[in-house]
Each structure stands twice: as C-alpha cells, then as structure tokens.
C-alpha cells in the first residue's frame, strides 16, 4: 500500500472522559462548560466535538457542540445553548456541575476551520449560538497575535441573548477588528445599529468586497446559513471561500 | 417546517466519518456519481433525523452516502459517490 494518505491518529474517533471544571453562565439559555479532557490531542479553531450521554438503563444520546476555546488555551470549553425539547442540551445547560463527567470525542471536522497562518481578511457571520466556533477563531486570532483584518457580523434576538457580550466589547478594541451587531427582536434603548435579520444590504455594508477575497465563515441555524451564503454568492463572493456550518432546528 | 430547517452540512457527518476513514473526511473532495459535481464533503447536505444519516449532493440532491447503525455494525452505503480524493501529506 502506498503511504500517500497519512496514517492519522487512529484514536481520533475514540471516546474520552471529560470532567467539568467550571460552569460559566453566558445568557439565560446558554452555559460554557470548561473541561479537563485527559489525552486531548489539541484542536483548530472552528472544530467541534461529539458529546455522548449514557442513562442508567444504557440509553445513549449523542450531539455535536462547537469548541469555544482557542487552541492555545489550556482547557477545552464548549458553549451549549439549551433547546427546550432537546435530549442532551437541557442536561448540559442546566444540570451539569463542576466535577461531573461525560463522554466526548474529537476534535472533529477540518472544513470549517481557520488558522492564523492563513491570514485575512476574515469575515465571520454568526446567527445565535453560531457565534461559538467563530469565537474560537477570534480567541485564536488574539492568542496567536494575528493581525488579520477581521469583521464579525453577529445576529442575536436581543442584547440579553448575545453570547460573550462583554468579551466582544474587548474584542472590538483590538486593532484590525470590527464587530457589527444586529438585534432581530429587541434592540437596546437608543440603539442606532442594525435591528433586523441579516439581509443582502447589511452584508453589502459589512462584508469585505469580493475582490479582497476574504476567508468567510458563516455559522447558525440552517435557514440563516442558507440565506447568508446565498446573498454572499450573489454579491460575487467565491463560493469556495464561503464556508458554512449549519445547526439543526431540533435535536439539541 | 421547511426542508432547509432540517438540513445540516457535511460538518455534521464528521464524527461518523471519523469512524470510517482514518484521514479527516470533511476536507476530502467527492464527485457525485449522479451528476458529476465535485466538492468538499463539508459542503454537502446532511439529514440526520431519520434512521441513520444521509449525505446528499447539493447540486442534484442525489444521495451520496448513507450510514446506519444496525445490530452493532455501522453500515456505510457509498454508492452515490464516484470518487473520493484526500489531500496527500507526507
């Protein structure tokens, strides 16, 4: 056999035990779980993990969650938004306490990743908890001391539901980064920014021109991603440079 | 609920593909056996709400791959894929 295909770590799909070190309440519906994962092989910004819960009767439920932490950080952090009809997220978002353990495998995926070595410009478009993997990219950018010109467009239903709101203020103080927020249901009093769903005019105002050939990452619910990616391609962004990751409407 | 509400993309199949392939599969290119379209596995459409997981060509909507767990076995039906190509690294 030729060795052209790398014999990558055969344990990549192996399940490991993650221990919760810290639970950070991000919004009323979302928590960040900071984890100790013995044997964690490291990850790239944008990758995700599969989490598997096993009930006492042996029933198993499995879901994917994006990694929120940068590769440079010592612990793996997941941000989980509670979906009320979900099987896994209500447990992770409400019941998990420091010291609890669950199974996890990863990192998973290579398509939806950005490394500081790739440079910029970087255009990140997030709908709701689609911000999580893009936050890993922003954290990686900072910790890798990247100067890649970066724009983040983030859509949230209201300020209280915007993930990482405080950290985003610090992010936008970094040189070379612009953060644009849009609130689709309720904007703060006196808000002069965008207050509607992401549309073509908004993307035209925020996105780099297609000539700048930005690396584009779009993450959010399926309909959001479909709409945003469609507009970007209509605005003549190269489809090969528009990478997307969709969240399911149900299942959490 | 619209079809697109349930649509995921190839990234959602990454964990399962990692059970089958030793190389990272979402960056692999595949050619659809139906229409010949080529693209990264990460750009395909994925549906996981039925029994198993179905990967669909975003161009012609033909089923590329179908994965099902049956009695302790993972069944990978790859008949919709003409070609896989993986980045060769040394």
């Amino acid at each position: 056999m030729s060795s052209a295909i790398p014999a990558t770590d055969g344990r990549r799909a192996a399940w490991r035990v993650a221990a919760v070190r810290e639970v950070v309440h991000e919004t009323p519906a979302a928590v960040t779980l900071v984890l100790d994962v013995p044997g964690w092989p490291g990850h790239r910004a944008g990758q995700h993990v599969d989490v598997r819960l096993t009930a006492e009767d042996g029933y198993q439920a499995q879901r994917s969650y994006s990694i929120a932490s940068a590769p440079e950080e010592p612990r793996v952090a997941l941000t989980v938004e509670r979906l009320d009809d979900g099987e896994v997220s209500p447990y992770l978002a409400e019941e998990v306490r420091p010291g609890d353990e669950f199974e996890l495998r990863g990192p998973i995926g290579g398509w939806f990743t950005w490394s500081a070595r790739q440079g910029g410009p970087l255009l990140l478009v997030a709908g709701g908890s689609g911000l999580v993997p893009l936050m890993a990219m922003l954290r990686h950018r900072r910790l890798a001391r990247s100067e890649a010109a970066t724009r983040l467009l983030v859509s949230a239903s209201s300020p209280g539901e915007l993930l990482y709101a405080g950290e985003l203020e610090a992010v936008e103080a970094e040189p070379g980064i612009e953060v644009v927020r849009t609130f689709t249901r309720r904007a703060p009093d006196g808000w002069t920014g965008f207050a509607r769903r992401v549309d073509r005019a908004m993307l035209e105002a925020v996105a780099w021109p297609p000539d700048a050939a930005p690396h584009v990452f779009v993450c959010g619910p399926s309909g959001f991603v479909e709409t945003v990616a469609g507009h970007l391609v209509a605005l003549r962004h190269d489809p090969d440079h528009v990478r997307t990751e969709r969240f399911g409407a149900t299942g959490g | 609920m619209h079809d697109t509400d349930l649509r995921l993309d190839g990234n959602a199949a990454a964990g399962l593909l990692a059970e089958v392939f030793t190389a990272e599969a979402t960056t692999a290119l595949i050619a659809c056996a139906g229409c010949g379209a080529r693209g990264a596995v990460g750009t395909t459409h994925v549906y996981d709400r039925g029994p198993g997981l179905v990967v669909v060509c975003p161009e012609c909507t033909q089923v590329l791959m179908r994965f099902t767990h049956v009695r302790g076995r993972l069944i990978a039906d790859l008949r919709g894929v003409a070609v896989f190509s993986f980045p060769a690294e040394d």
Side-chain angles (χ1 to χ4, degrees):
Chain A
M1 285 288 288
S2 133
S3 59
I5 295 171
T8 46
D9 181 5
R11 294 164 301 162
R12 172 170 288 169
W15 292 96
R16 303 171 204 275
V17 175
V20 178
R21 279 290 286 255
E22 197 186 338
V23 179
V24 181
H25 292 269
E26 302 281 1
T27 69
V31 301
T32 293
L33 305 176
V34 183
L35 307 172
D36 277 325
V37 190
W40 180 252
H43 69 278
R44 282 178 283 152
Q47 288 186 298
H48 63 270
V49 298
D50 287 345
V51 169
R52 182 166 76 180
L53 302 181
T54 307
E56 277 174 26
D57 65 1
Y59 175 75
Q60 291 189 325
Q62 183 183 319
R63 294 291 182 275
S64 297
Y65 294 102
S66 289
I67 300 170
S69 48
E72 292 81 0
E73 295 181 74
R75 295 204 169 82
V76 178
L78 309 179
T79 301
V80 178
E81 188 173 44
R82 185 190 68 236
L83 300 175
D84 288 328
D85 57 352
E87 268 187 340
V88 173
S89 67
Y91 171 76
L92 294 177
E94 280 174 355
E95 292 180 37
V96 161
R97 299 287 177 266
D100 288 350
E101 294 182 340
F102 52 81
E103 285 182 294
L104 157 164
R105 71 174 174 190
I108 289 167
W111 175 248
F112 195 81
T113 65
W114 178 76
S115 157
R117 286 192 310 274
Q118 292 171 249
L122 189 57
L123 174 65
L124 309 176
V125 185
S129 56
L131 182 55
V132 177
L134 307 183
M135 198 66 205
M137 295 178 191
L138 291 170
R139 290 168 170 167
H140 168 55
R141 180 190 180 277
R142 180 178 71 237
L143 292 168
R145 299 173 194 279
S146 162
E147 291 173 359
T150 300
R151 289 178 188 168
L152 167 69
L153 172 60
V154 56
S155 171
S157 50
S158 71
E161 278 152 288
L162 176 62
L163 288 172
Y164 319 118
E167 187 174 347
L168 285 179
E169 287 178 25
V171 161
E172 87 194 303
E174 295 168 24
I177 294 199
E178 239 175 287
V179 176
V180 178
R181 301 162 183 78
T182 183
F183 297 110
T184 55
R185 213 174 303 150
R186 205 173 56 252
D189 289 339
W191 177 250
T192 56
F194 293 120
R196 61 178 198 268
R197 288 171 178 274
V198 175
D199 56 23
R200 185 167 165 165
M202 194 185 300
L203 286 165
E204 205 161 10
V206 174
W208 306 94
D211 291 348
H215 301 283
V216 185
F217 294 90
V218 183
C219 188
S222 196
F224 174 90
V225 167
E226 207 84 10
T227 303
V228 170
H231 287 315
L232 287 169
V233 171
L235 290 168
R236 301 189 177 284
H237 284 269
D238 181 348
D240 288 344
H241 287 158
V242 179
R243 300 200 170 193
T244 61
E245 184 159 81
R246 294 166 173 84
F247 287 171
T250 57
Chain B
M1 187 169 280
H2 288 93
D3 183 51
T4 51
D5 292 335
L6 295 175
R7 179 184 298 160
L8 300 172
D9 48 47
N11 303 300
L16 204 151
L17 292 169
E19 294 179 26
V20 179
F21 296 102
T22 56
E24 205 292 303
T26 57
T27 51
L29 295 173
I30 52 174
C32 174
C35 71
R38 286 170 175 276
V41 171
T43 66
T44 58
H45 291 164
V46 165
Y47 299 90
D48 69 347
R49 306 306 296 166
L53 183 143
V54 178
V55 181
V56 171
C57 173
E59 297 295 328
C60 74
T61 73
Q62 169 171 299
V63 172
L64 296 165
M65 301 183 266
R66 189 185 280 114
F67 298 92
T68 340
H69 279 103
V70 182
R71 288 186 291 280
R73 300 184 71 81
L74 171 60
I75 312 295
D77 175 346
L78 310 177
R79 80 184 81 175
V81 180
V83 179
F84 273 98
S85 77
F86 292 89
E89 296 160 22
D90 26 56

